[in-house]
Amino acid sequence: MKRPHRRTAVRLAAVCVLMLGFSYALVPLYDALCDLTGLSGSTSNLTQATPAAPEVETAAERQVTLQFVANVNHSMPWDIRPDQFEMKVRPGHTYQTVFHAHNRTARPMTGQAVPSVAPQMAAPHLIKQECFCFTSQPLDAGESVEMPLIFKVSERLPETIGTLTLSYTFFDVSQTSGTQSG
Amino acid sequence: MSEIAAAHDDHHDYHPSGLWRWVTTTNHKDIGTLYLWLAMIMFFIGGAMALVIRTELFSPGLQFVDPQFFNSMTTLHALVMIFGVVMPAFTGLANWQIPLMVGATDMALPRLNNWSFWILPFAFAMLLSTMFMDGGGPAGGWTLYPPLTLQTGNALPFVIFSIHFMGMSSIMGAINIIATIVNMRAPGMHMMKMPLFVWTWLITAFLLIAVMPVLAGGVTMLLTDKFFGTSFFNAAGGGDPVMFQHIFWFFGHPEVYILILPSFGVVSSILPTFSRKPLFGYSSMVYATASIAFLSFVVWAHHMFTVGMPLAGELFFMFATMLIAVPTGVKVFNWVATMWRGSMTFETPMLFAIGFIIMFTIGGFSGLMLAIVPADFQYHDSYFVVAHFHYVLVPGSIFAIMAAVYYWLPKWTGNHYPERLGKWHFWLSTIFVNLTFFPMHFVGLAGMPRRIPDYALQFADYNMLASIGAFGFGFAQLLFLYIVVVTIRGGEKATDQVWEGAEGLEWTLPSPPPYHSFTTPPVVR
């Protein structure tokens, strides 16, 4: 290989290696960019979303409807249901509810709930103070459990939103438990 | 010239014969030929898959294949046509033409060249073998979105490794092309004197080096998610399936320019020859190509407007995408201005080049429609998208490749192709390609989703037309194969210049050029 060719080839190969590294770097980079710009609309960082400004007592009579949905990822043999399917809540007040989980199988399993809020614009205004979705949930064979959820709806919830839906999907993480998500 | 070359090169004129010649060759002309034949074979394999799809869609209802197999046909058709036809065909053209056009003896890295070709047959053997595995071939779409793609059976690791191989081959080819262009130009050929085909390939090669590793990384994450317990795209482990779409389209959008930029170079070579005028706006063509390549890195999310992006993101990607219409428009205007008041003749390469300009522009306009966020919510994942990208890829890239083959085949073989048959091929292809893809706009706007084996009765007539067109187009390509074979075997002898208006270093060589050309570098004035 002639020297100038070798030099060009080595440099270009180095660019390739860098770009391969870049593809992995994209994973944290996207998260960082979304946090920085607030562009993501994801519910994953709800705990940090507590508004800094003191909440003003506005028209105390405002009520919104909060609906609960729970389901399992396609083949997970658990029964999941919310205790109440719907609640009337006042923005700014803290409420508590529970979800029921039951492991139908004859083996111990670990589940992980992943939340999602609709409409998307409401996601930053639903503040979960305690949630079973912060940790993974182990259940022995045939065991049932009540899982608490403490939350409030921020008073900054846009006036146009009257109904919110909080949906949980349970994933089977028995193979990979130890990995955590918020 | 050829005798001098032969005498000079005795010491490395070792020619093994038969198959071994092709396996061990490091000659750019041999490797170019190998790439082009691979593309031809894969074109008929991918075309057969398209005909399975069109047969099933000929009328509503499920009649010929089961839906799982249908979906693996759409997936494999795309992978074969993109990685097995258009990319190898362009690399083959680059191998043949770039050394001839810049006045080099060969490619800069001949052994690497041999390796980058010979990876490909194995990659495609592996990809196609997945059709016979438990669980069938990959059927989640060529974009391989998780979590659906992670439900693929035994085929998944084979698909991913074959994509790795294709990526390695493209990267090595790109390194070779850049090294050749940067280091081996004839004395006097400075950058702004290079033929546009060389320029567009230089820019394409940089795109390949920048994005093929990103695809490799993305599919490797799929592999580790499936088999090694990582959670890049697994919501249960804190991952995000939408992340894959971002990574994939960060590769995917530059990729579509990889599939089209060399066509721009081909058309920019052919039009001046048959208009008998120099190319209009050479330097603006170079800058337009470079700006298209640059913009291709900041528009990826227009493929995923419906994933739930915030408004600010959608607006940014919409306007960035529409910005690409500006340099592309510069190119189309330059091509038209090149033909304006030229002494035009309409040999087959010119017909394909003009067909390219008109039909690629149709595809470009439907692309602009798709770029509009509020409208895209209706068009997304419909047959309108299918119509759009087939217009830019079939009468776009594929027509440009055919134009290039007709244009340079007399140079490569020393024989003229049968002109009358070539024109037949062009007109049959053009009529049938429009019959196939134009109706897809209408069914798409009316709501027919893509990647389905069955559809509502209201779409029946247009689908029948599209299927008839697809079979017509497919069989017209057998004529292309026939023309190439008879031209290689014989025919009217071509002169060195081949075409009356042709200019450039490749036309100063005899037709066919000697096995080792430009052993003394030509001097460009």
Side-chain angles (χ1 to χ4, degrees), chain B residues 273-343:
Chain B
T273 298
F274 297 99
S275 305
R276 292 164 182 80
K277 273 175 64 190
L279 185 72
F280 185 89
Y282 171 89
S283 51
S284 68
M285 284 300 220
V286 173
Y287 295 129
T289 312
S291 11
I292 292 173
F294 174 75
L295 286 173
S296 72
F297 284 101
V298 293
V299 297
W300 74 88
H302 67 210
H303 295 269
M304 33 194 294
F305 278 149
T306 59
V307 297
M309 252 189 296
L311 190 62
E314 292 185 330
L315 287 176
F316 170 78
F317 286 109
M318 173 167 100
F319 291 127
T321 305
M322 292 181 150
L323 200 56
I324 293 184
V326 177
T328 315
V330 168
K331 286 184 154 300
V332 173
F333 279 114
N334 281 345
W335 288 326
V336 174
T338 303
M339 291 188 282
W340 177 252
R341 295 195 166 170
S343 312

XYZ file of all heavy atoms in Angstrom, chain B residues 273-343:
561
model
N -23.340 15.419 -23.186
C -22.926 14.674 -24.368
C -23.985 14.749 -25.459
O -23.688 15.052 -26.619
C -22.680 13.197 -23.988
O -21.638 13.158 -23.042
C -22.319 12.367 -25.205
N -25.235 14.500 -25.091
C -26.275 14.412 -26.123
C -26.943 15.759 -26.383
O -27.782 15.869 -27.275
C -27.300 13.339 -25.746
C -26.684 11.984 -25.677
C -26.313 11.428 -24.469
C -26.420 11.280 -26.846
C -25.700 10.192 -24.405
C -25.808 10.034 -26.796
C -25.445 9.490 -25.565
N -26.590 16.798 -25.576
C -27.040 18.150 -25.906
C -25.941 18.899 -26.648
O -26.149 20.004 -27.134
C -27.388 18.931 -24.632
O -28.326 18.225 -23.871
N -24.733 18.273 -26.668
C -23.557 18.870 -27.330
C -23.285 20.265 -26.801
O -23.002 21.192 -27.553
C -23.743 18.854 -28.855
C -23.724 17.433 -29.377
C -24.266 17.267 -30.768
N -24.236 15.856 -31.142
C -25.147 14.964 -30.763
N -26.136 15.332 -29.971
N -25.057 13.707 -31.147
N -23.415 20.428 -25.500
C -23.130 21.682 -24.815
C -22.484 21.323 -23.496
O -22.795 20.283 -22.929
C -24.450 22.424 -24.497
C -24.981 23.316 -25.585
C -26.329 23.865 -25.149
C -26.175 24.760 -23.922
N -27.479 25.112 -23.338
N -21.597 22.173 -22.974
C -21.084 21.877 -21.631
C -22.198 21.966 -20.587
O -23.222 22.622 -20.812
C -20.010 22.940 -21.396
C -20.126 23.912 -22.497
C -21.035 23.395 -23.549
N -21.962 21.297 -19.447
C -22.951 21.327 -18.373
C -23.159 22.755 -17.897
O -22.199 23.489 -17.691
C -22.461 20.464 -17.214
C -23.441 20.299 -16.048
C -24.581 19.394 -16.454
C -22.731 19.750 -14.826
N -24.423 23.135 -17.733
C -24.726 24.484 -17.241
C -24.493 24.531 -15.733
O -24.968 23.679 -14.997
C -26.187 24.829 -17.568
C -26.569 26.232 -17.203
C -26.406 27.264 -18.107
C -27.077 26.524 -15.945
C -26.740 28.562 -17.780
C -27.420 27.813 -15.599
C -27.254 28.838 -16.530
N -23.744 25.526 -15.277
C -23.595 25.764 -13.835
C -22.835 24.681 -13.101
O -23.292 24.185 -12.073
N -21.629 24.314 -13.631
C -20.861 23.234 -13.007
C -20.649 23.459 -11.507
O -20.952 22.596 -10.683
C -19.511 23.086 -13.712
C -18.549 22.154 -13.038
C -18.531 20.798 -13.346
C -17.654 22.602 -12.061
C -17.659 19.935 -12.720
C -16.780 21.747 -11.424
C -16.785 20.407 -11.760
O -15.918 19.553 -11.124
N -20.137 24.656 -11.150
C -19.788 24.831 -9.729
C -21.046 24.855 -8.851
O -21.031 24.337 -7.731
C -18.943 26.083 -9.518
O -19.575 27.173 -10.140
N -22.147 25.409 -9.358
C -23.367 25.376 -8.541
C -23.845 23.938 -8.348
O -24.434 23.602 -7.324
C -24.467 26.242 -9.161
O -24.909 25.679 -10.365
N -23.575 23.060 -9.349
C -23.912 21.638 -9.185
C -23.122 21.034 -8.030
O -23.657 20.294 -7.207
C -23.564 20.860 -10.458
C -24.539 21.053 -11.583
S -26.173 20.518 -11.116
C -26.719 19.737 -12.594
N -21.822 21.370 -7.966
C -20.983 20.822 -6.900
C -21.487 21.304 -5.535
O -21.681 20.508 -4.611
C -19.516 21.248 -7.107
C -18.665 20.840 -5.909
C -18.967 20.638 -8.380
N -21.737 22.606 -5.442
C -22.177 23.138 -4.146
C -23.568 22.613 -3.780
O -23.848 22.346 -2.612
C -22.162 24.673 -4.167
C -20.763 25.231 -4.312
C -20.465 26.181 -5.273
C -19.736 24.773 -3.496
C -19.168 26.676 -5.422
C -18.445 25.255 -3.637
C -18.158 26.205 -4.591
O -16.892 26.673 -4.728
N -24.442 22.474 -4.768
C -25.771 21.931 -4.486
C -25.662 20.517 -3.928
O -26.329 20.165 -2.949
C -26.638 21.956 -5.738
N -24.792 19.695 -4.546
C -24.624 18.320 -4.059
C -24.123 18.328 -2.618
O -24.632 17.597 -1.763
C -23.620 17.565 -4.943
O -23.972 17.776 -6.309
C -23.631 16.093 -4.646
N -23.131 19.196 -2.354
C -22.581 19.243 -1.001
C -23.635 19.726 -0.007
O -23.732 19.189 1.105
C -21.352 20.153 -0.968
N -24.470 20.698 -0.409
C -25.469 21.162 0.577
C -26.549 20.111 0.807
O -27.034 19.978 1.931
C -26.125 22.498 0.191
O -25.845 22.864 -1.086
N -26.924 19.367 -0.246
C -27.891 18.284 -0.032
C -27.320 17.295 0.982
O -28.009 16.873 1.923
C -28.221 17.575 -1.361
C -29.002 18.510 -2.278
C -29.010 16.300 -1.110
C -29.230 17.952 -3.658
N -26.041 16.956 0.806
C -25.416 15.988 1.713
C -25.385 16.531 3.139
O -25.686 15.813 4.094
C -24.003 15.666 1.241
N -25.056 17.803 3.274
C -24.991 18.380 4.617
C -26.384 18.395 5.259
O -26.565 17.965 6.404
C -24.418 19.796 4.542
C -24.464 20.506 5.865
C -23.563 20.184 6.870
C -25.438 21.470 6.118
C -23.620 20.811 8.096
C -25.496 22.102 7.342
C -24.588 21.774 8.334
N -27.389 18.863 4.505
C -28.742 18.942 5.072
C -29.287 17.570 5.435
O -30.139 17.449 6.317
C -29.679 19.629 4.076
C -29.502 21.144 3.942
C -30.368 21.672 2.808
C -29.875 21.845 5.238
N -28.799 16.526 4.740
C -29.368 15.197 4.985
C -29.161 14.763 6.435
O -29.844 13.860 6.911
C -28.755 14.175 4.037
O -27.425 13.892 4.389
N -28.220 15.395 7.152
C -27.974 14.996 8.542
C -28.943 15.639 9.531
O -28.949 15.278 10.698
C -26.546 15.356 8.949
C -25.528 14.421 8.378
C -24.780 14.781 7.273
C -25.340 13.169 8.926
C -23.849 13.903 6.735
C -24.422 12.285 8.390
C -23.674 12.659 7.295
N -29.702 16.637 9.114
C -30.542 17.339 10.088
C -32.026 17.228 9.761
O -32.814 18.078 10.162
C -30.141 18.830 10.220
C -28.761 18.941 10.835
C -30.184 19.536 8.887
N -32.430 16.205 9.005
C -33.846 16.092 8.644
C -34.445 14.747 9.031
O -35.596 14.481 8.695
C -34.050 16.303 7.133
C -33.643 17.696 6.725
C -33.304 15.278 6.325
N -33.672 13.898 9.762
C -34.091 12.509 9.878
C -35.492 12.344 10.467
O -36.225 11.437 10.096
C -33.064 11.732 10.686
C -33.094 12.007 12.160
C -33.857 11.356 13.066
C -32.361 13.008 12.878
N -33.645 11.882 14.316
C -32.737 12.891 14.243
C -31.431 13.966 12.518
C -32.214 13.716 15.228
C -30.911 14.778 13.506
C -31.299 14.653 14.840
N -35.880 13.221 11.401
C -37.128 12.958 12.120
C -38.365 13.204 11.264
O -39.473 12.942 11.719
C -37.192 13.783 13.391
N -38.207 13.669 10.002
C -39.412 13.782 9.171
C -39.957 12.412 8.787
O -41.033 12.312 8.230
C -39.176 14.671 7.935
C -38.229 14.109 6.937
N -37.451 14.885 6.129
C -37.923 12.849 6.596
C -36.712 14.124 5.346
N -36.984 12.885 5.611
N -39.204 11.344 9.091
C -39.733 9.992 8.874
C -40.615 9.555 10.035
O -41.205 8.488 9.994
C -38.584 8.995 8.715
C -37.752 9.231 7.496
N -38.020 8.625 6.297
C -36.690 10.035 7.281
C -37.131 9.038 5.404
N -36.316 9.898 5.963
N -40.647 10.347 11.100
C -41.315 9.888 12.321
C -42.141 11.006 12.943
O -42.199 11.137 14.156
C -40.282 9.339 13.311
C -38.949 10.048 13.248
S -37.618 9.188 14.105
C -38.204 9.331 15.767
N -42.798 11.800 12.076
C -43.635 12.894 12.580
C -44.737 12.406 13.506
O -45.204 13.145 14.362
C -44.282 13.628 11.407
C -43.385 14.647 10.754
C -43.493 14.921 9.401
C -42.450 15.352 11.493
C -42.678 15.870 8.788
C -41.634 16.303 10.899
C -41.746 16.554 9.542
N -45.188 11.152 13.328
C -46.357 10.710 14.091
C -45.996 10.026 15.410
O -46.868 9.488 16.066
C -47.217 9.746 13.262
O -46.400 8.637 12.911
C -47.736 10.403 12.005
N -44.703 10.026 15.812
C -44.376 9.320 17.058
C -44.737 10.118 18.303
O -44.604 9.612 19.411
C -42.880 8.934 17.163
C -42.489 7.973 16.079
C -41.997 10.156 17.165
N -45.173 11.369 18.154
C -45.487 12.153 19.328
C -44.369 13.117 19.658
O -43.995 13.268 20.811
N -43.830 13.749 18.627
C -42.791 14.760 18.843
C -43.447 16.061 19.255
O -44.561 16.355 18.837
C -42.068 15.009 17.536
C -40.693 14.456 17.477
S -39.899 15.059 16.009
C -40.861 14.344 14.734
N -42.754 16.872 20.040
C -43.308 18.189 20.347
C -43.331 19.070 19.094
O -42.568 18.849 18.152
C -42.346 18.755 21.385
C -41.184 17.868 21.416
C -41.480 16.618 20.707
N -44.198 20.063 19.142
C -44.426 20.903 17.976
C -43.138 21.548 17.475
O -42.880 21.610 16.267
C -45.448 21.982 18.330
C -45.959 22.797 17.158
C -46.675 21.903 16.166
C -46.874 23.907 17.645
N -42.290 22.007 18.422
C -41.056 22.685 18.002
C -40.198 21.765 17.149
O -39.644 22.177 16.121
C -40.286 23.145 19.237
N -40.114 20.499 17.551
C -39.342 19.534 16.786
C -39.930 19.322 15.405
O -39.226 19.317 14.396
N -41.249 19.174 15.345
C -41.887 18.940 14.046
C -41.650 20.108 13.100
O -41.357 19.924 11.926
C -43.380 18.692 14.242
C -43.626 17.372 14.958
C -45.091 17.022 15.058
O -45.910 17.948 15.124
O -45.392 15.820 15.076
N -41.762 21.328 13.647
C -41.558 22.501 12.785
C -40.122 22.547 12.262
O -39.890 22.795 11.083
C -41.873 23.789 13.557
C -43.354 24.023 13.802
C -43.545 25.266 14.653
C -44.096 24.161 12.485
N -39.154 22.295 13.171
C -37.759 22.334 12.722
C -37.532 21.356 11.586
O -36.978 21.699 10.535
C -36.812 22.018 13.880
C -35.403 21.821 13.410
C -34.612 22.916 13.100
C -34.879 20.549 13.224
C -33.314 22.741 12.625
C -33.587 20.364 12.751
C -32.812 21.463 12.456
N -37.995 20.096 11.774
C -37.709 19.090 10.763
C -38.490 19.349 9.485
O -38.041 19.022 8.391
C -37.964 17.687 11.324
C -36.893 17.266 12.291
C -37.145 17.168 13.639
C -35.613 17.012 11.838
C -36.147 16.805 14.523
C -34.606 16.649 12.708
C -34.872 16.543 14.059
N -39.657 19.956 9.602
C -40.426 20.294 8.398
C -39.678 21.331 7.559
O -39.470 21.150 6.367
C -41.797 20.834 8.794
C -42.578 21.372 7.620
S -44.307 21.635 8.038
C -44.349 23.369 8.334
N -39.218 22.411 8.219
C -38.574 23.469 7.434
C -37.210 23.014 6.908
O -36.848 23.324 5.774
C -38.451 24.751 8.262
C -39.783 25.392 8.519
C -40.197 25.722 9.790
C -40.644 25.633 7.454
C -41.444 26.296 10.010
C -41.887 26.215 7.679
C -42.289 26.542 8.959
N -36.459 22.252 7.725
C -35.162 21.758 7.249
C -35.359 20.881 6.018
O -34.604 20.949 5.050
C -34.456 20.985 8.357
N -36.423 20.056 6.053
C -36.681 19.172 4.920
C -37.019 19.970 3.674
O -36.533 19.679 2.575
C -37.847 18.226 5.271
O -37.530 17.543 6.472
C -38.088 17.238 4.157
N -37.858 20.984 3.845
C -38.245 21.767 2.671
C -37.055 22.527 2.109
O -36.990 22.789 0.910
C -39.347 22.731 3.050
C -40.613 21.983 3.365
S -41.882 23.130 3.784
C -43.285 22.225 3.218
N -36.091 22.851 2.974
C -34.899 23.553 2.512
C -34.148 22.735 1.470
O -33.501 23.283 0.570
C -34.004 23.820 3.730
C -32.954 24.909 3.617
C -33.615 26.220 3.241
C -32.224 25.045 4.940
N -34.234 21.394 1.576
C -33.504 20.544 0.632
C -34.026 20.736 -0.784
O -33.307 20.526 -1.758
C -33.595 19.071 1.074
C -32.828 18.888 2.379
C -33.025 18.141 0.022
C -32.783 17.470 2.856
N -35.268 21.178 -0.909
C -35.809 21.398 -2.250
C -35.037 22.487 -2.985
O -35.033 22.509 -4.212
C -37.282 21.770 -2.160
N -34.351 23.366 -2.242
C -33.646 24.462 -2.923
C -32.443 23.948 -3.722
O -32.406 24.132 -4.942
C -33.253 25.574 -1.914
C -32.465 26.657 -2.603
C -34.498 26.136 -1.251
N -31.449 23.280 -3.081
C -30.349 22.765 -3.908
C -30.819 21.751 -4.955
O -30.251 21.692 -6.049
C -29.401 22.121 -2.899
C -30.144 22.006 -1.632
C -31.197 23.054 -1.647
N -31.854 20.956 -4.622
C -32.331 19.995 -5.613
C -32.937 20.738 -6.801
O -32.736 20.346 -7.962
C -33.374 19.052 -4.981
O -32.885 18.622 -3.719
C -33.622 17.858 -5.856
N -33.649 21.810 -6.514
C -34.207 22.623 -7.592
C -33.106 23.229 -8.448
O -33.212 23.262 -9.685
N -31.998 23.660 -7.812
C -30.858 24.191 -8.571
C -30.389 23.158 -9.585
O -30.145 23.459 -10.757
C -29.716 24.567 -7.600
C -28.423 24.834 -8.358
C -30.099 25.779 -6.772
N -30.315 21.915 -9.133
C -29.848 20.860 -10.031
C -30.796 20.669 -11.204
O -30.366 20.594 -12.354
C -29.722 19.544 -9.264
C -28.535 19.536 -8.363
C -28.387 18.193 -7.708
C -26.958 17.939 -7.334
N -26.014 17.951 -8.413
N -32.093 20.593 -10.907
C -33.047 20.339 -11.985
C -33.009 21.495 -12.998
O -32.989 21.276 -14.213
C -34.461 20.118 -11.416
C -35.481 20.028 -12.529
C -34.494 18.848 -10.575
N -32.923 22.732 -12.483
C -32.851 23.875 -13.401
C -31.577 23.817 -14.244
O -31.605 24.106 -15.445
C -32.915 25.191 -12.616
C -34.322 25.572 -12.253
C -34.744 25.602 -10.936
C -35.241 25.889 -13.257
C -36.054 25.928 -10.610
C -36.544 26.228 -12.928
C -36.953 26.240 -11.598
N -30.451 23.440 -13.615
C -29.211 23.342 -14.380
C -29.311 22.293 -15.490
O -28.796 22.489 -16.577
C -28.044 22.992 -13.451
C -27.545 24.209 -12.696
O -27.867 25.341 -13.049
N -26.773 23.979 -11.659
N -29.961 21.169 -15.186
C -30.104 20.137 -16.217
C -30.949 20.651 -17.366
O -30.617 20.452 -18.534
C -30.744 18.871 -15.625
C -29.826 18.115 -14.718
C -28.472 17.988 -14.834
C -30.194 17.378 -13.549
N -27.976 17.234 -13.813
C -29.003 16.831 -13.011
C -31.404 17.110 -12.908
C -28.999 16.037 -11.861
C -31.398 16.326 -11.764
C -30.207 15.798 -11.250
N -32.034 21.313 -17.025
C -32.902 21.833 -18.094
C -32.136 22.879 -18.904
O -32.181 22.888 -20.140
C -34.192 22.424 -17.479
C -35.031 23.092 -18.555
C -34.996 21.328 -16.793
N -31.367 23.728 -18.201
C -30.611 24.766 -18.911
C -29.513 24.159 -19.779
O -29.152 24.723 -20.809
C -30.007 25.740 -17.906
N -28.987 22.986 -19.369
C -27.990 22.319 -20.204
C -28.608 21.891 -21.530
O -27.996 22.002 -22.588
C -27.433 21.082 -19.456
O -26.904 21.509 -18.206
C -26.354 20.397 -20.255
N -29.843 21.418 -21.471
C -30.502 20.945 -22.702
C -30.988 22.107 -23.560
O -31.152 21.972 -24.765
C -31.692 20.047 -22.341
C -31.279 18.727 -21.729
S -32.676 17.622 -21.521
C -33.460 18.276 -20.072
N -31.237 23.250 -22.921
C -31.844 24.398 -23.596
C -31.011 24.812 -24.802
O -29.830 25.102 -24.697
C -31.965 25.547 -22.595
C -32.502 26.815 -23.145
C -31.814 27.967 -23.381
C -33.848 27.076 -23.513
N -32.643 28.919 -23.873
C -33.908 28.407 -23.972
C -35.018 26.299 -23.515
C -35.085 28.994 -24.421
C -36.185 26.879 -23.963
C -36.215 28.213 -24.412
N -31.629 24.813 -25.984
C -30.989 25.187 -27.240
C -29.755 24.347 -27.542
O -28.836 24.820 -28.209
C -30.615 26.662 -27.229
C -31.848 27.528 -27.182
C -31.517 28.938 -27.524
N -32.763 29.667 -27.792
C -32.820 30.974 -27.936
N -31.721 31.707 -27.866
N -33.978 31.551 -28.180
N -29.720 23.120 -27.023
C -28.642 22.224 -27.409
C -29.015 21.496 -28.696
O -30.186 21.470 -29.082
N -28.003 20.903 -29.357
C -28.304 20.065 -30.535
C -28.579 18.676 -30.015
O -27.707 17.819 -30.013
C -27.123 20.020 -31.487
O -26.645 21.310 -31.714
